[in-house]
Amino acid sequence: MNKKVGLGILAATLTFGIGTGALAATGLEPIKAYLNSTISLKMNGTTVTAKDANGKAVLPITYNGTTYLPVRAVGTLMGTSITYDSASSSVIIGGSGNTGSPTTPVETSSQSLSTLGTKVLGSSDWHTKDPSNTVYKDKDYKDVFLYTGENNQSKSFQIMTDNKYSKLHLELASLSGNQKIVIMNQDNTTLKTLSLAPTNGMVSADVDVSNTKAIFVEITDADNDSKLFVPLTTSSLTK
């Protein structure tokens, strides 16, 4: 692999839903780059495939002798949360903007919901690690919340934040049917509302959970055949 890959990773191509207006903003310069299918990625000796939020394989990009990797896809492979703050035009790697030197790893206070487990999730009839239910678009997330509506399954799940966290990063995908999702705190104050459909693919939601004791994620409206998939390995809480 090109020895400059490591230097290029943090400047990588991003897919964060940046609008056309932002692309025309001052500071952006058109370039001629190339998708490079000749480069393979290996992680701990095993060849891996970088994928975007919708599960589609993405290729490295070569520009002026440097190879750039898609930072969100690489972050997912390494179990690191990657988010984009449109207000400050910042890519957040892991935590909330901590920095480190080139030779010192960036410290992160972000942990996946899967890692936190019962500390924040308690018990839920959504929870499953059954391999037949944890795969979405050819990726096995290993540990998920899955709503199918069967057996009088509840339409919500709870995340205990106990005033310890500042941000919830949640990933969700509709397997079938349309759903309206409301994320609220312990006082029933709505923090975010999402409308999901299978065509949306995997959707990310970042929610400010400062000064909250508990978060409730509830399906308030859904088609009869709705199924909702929430990967716990890529959803996280940040202190």
Side-chain angles (χ1 to χ4, degrees):
M1 184 178 290
N2 189 311
K3 65 181 181 180
K4 293 186 179 179
V5 167
L7 298 177
I9 187 171
L10 297 183
T13 301
L14 307 176
T15 306
F16 287 106
I18 303 174
T20 303
L23 292 177
T26 301
L28 293 177
E29 180 180 347
I31 63 172
K32 185 176 182 179
Y34 301 89
L35 293 174
N36 196 334
S37 61
T38 64
I39 292 179
S40 62
L41 301 181
K42 289 189 176 182
M43 186 172 180
N44 298 324
T46 302
T47 300
V48 295
T49 301
K51 296 182 179 181
D52 63 18
N54 295 320
K56 182 179 179 181
V58 289
L59 295 174
I61 290 176
T62 297
Y63 171 66
N64 276 357
T66 298
T67 297
Y68 297 83
L69 302 178
V71 67
R72 171 171 279 173
V74 173
T76 298
L77 288 172
M78 299 180 68
T80 300
S81 172
I82 305 291
T83 55
Y84 178 71
D85 180 6
S86 58
S88 61
S89 296
S90 300
V91 178
I92 310 300
I93 302 174
S96 55
N98 296 327
T99 60
S101 70
T103 57
T104 303
V106 177
E107 295 185 0
T108 173
S109 56
S110 178
Q111 287 184 285
S112 72
L113 297 185
S114 179
T115 299
L116 291 168
T118 55
K119 292 180 182 178
V120 299
L121 297 175
S123 60
S124 172
D125 57 6
W126 289 42
H127 201 178
T128 180
K129 294 184 179 181
D130 183 341
S132 65
N133 292 320
T134 58
V135 176
Y136 177 74
K137 292 192 174 181
D138 298 324
K139 177 177 179 178
D140 189 352
Y141 288 88
K142 306 293 185 182
D143 190 9
V144 308
F145 273 175
L146 179 66
Y147 172 81
T148 62
E150 299 174 353
N151 301 319
N152 295 316
Q153 189 179 21
S154 62
K155 288 191 174 182
S156 66
F157 64 86
Q158 181 178 347
I159 301 172
M160 296 302 300
T161 46
D162 289 328
N163 297 314
K164 296 178 181 178
Y165 301 94
S166 62
K167 185 184 72 174
L168 167 66
H169 174 74
L170 202 61
E171 297 196 350
L172 314 93
S174 172
L175 301 183
S176 65
N178 300 309
Q179 299 120 26
K180 179 180 179 182
I181 312 295
V182 175
I183 302 173
M184 64 189 80
N185 65 13
Q186 71 279 352
D187 299 321
N188 293 323
T189 299
T190 297
L191 303 179
K192 183 156 288 191
T193 301
L194 303 170
S195 294
L196 300 180
T199 53
N200 297 144
M202 188 70 72
V203 174
S204 297
D206 291 312
V207 184
D208 183 352
V209 296
S210 304
N211 302 315
T212 64
K213 294 182 179 179
I215 296 296
F216 299 89
V217 181
E218 183 174 352
I219 301 174
T220 59
D221 189 25
D223 293 341
N224 291 332
D225 62 345
S226 286
K227 294 182 180 180
L228 180 64
F229 185 93
V230 183
L232 301 179
T233 47
T234 54
S235 297
S236 61
L237 281 168
T238 300
K239 288 189 175 180

